Amino acid sequence: MSERDWTIYDRADLRRGFATIRGDACDVTVVLDGLHCAACAARAEKAIAGGAREVHVDVAARSLRFRYEPAVTRLSGLLAALERSGLEPRLLAAPDDTDHGQRRRRT
């Protein structure tokens, strides 16, 4: 099986669609198909070690949340590393702060 081309996710103009930008860093949440147990979680953490920080794996939700710095680390490299580890990453859309604020005003 050939590795997917993840380089589209390195584009700065697309980053706001899937990352919460915090200064020089970005917070990203990825759904990981193939994440079933603690061993899978450890494999995911090991795959992105060195390129990501504040890594949190939620086995029940089959998700991985982490922070990375685009000037230092390419997101495409992290996603490819997850794929090489036997997991299938899918980026989730970044939360929309304006929508959250509108919901809060309605209640």
Side-chain angles (χ1 to χ4, degrees):
M1 185 165 131
S2 64
E3 192 173 291
R4 182 175 167 184
D5 180 8
W6 297 100
T7 56
I8 187 84
Y9 297 109
D10 294 329
R11 289 182 42 184
D13 59 321
L14 299 179
R15 201 168 287 140
R16 288 198 184 280
F18 58 82
T20 302
I21 299 170
R22 303 198 185 287
D24 293 338
C26 295
D27 292 341
V28 176
T29 301
V30 180
V31 171
L32 291 173
D33 291 336
L35 180 69
H36 303 289
C37 63
C40 296
R43 195 170 71 229
E45 289 177 345
K46 183 178 178 181
I48 63 171
R53 56 191 169 133
E54 298 182 35
V55 178
H56 175 74
V57 181
D58 184 338
V59 175
R62 294 186 177 167
S63 67
L64 170 70
R65 188 178 68 239
F66 60 89
R67 182 169 287 175
Y68 79 104
E69 293 182 40
V72 177
T73 304
R74 291 182 182 220
L75 182 57
S76 61
L78 298 173
L79 296 171
L82 289 166
E83 185 178 49
R84 282 190 304 274
S85 76
L87 301 165
E88 187 176 328
R90 292 183 291 127
L91 284 167
L92 292 180
D96 184 355
D97 292 333
T98 58
D99 182 47
H100 180 68
Q102 290 174 354
R103 273 190 249 138
R104 193 176 325 134
R105 282 192 290 275
R106 284 187 221 143
T107 57

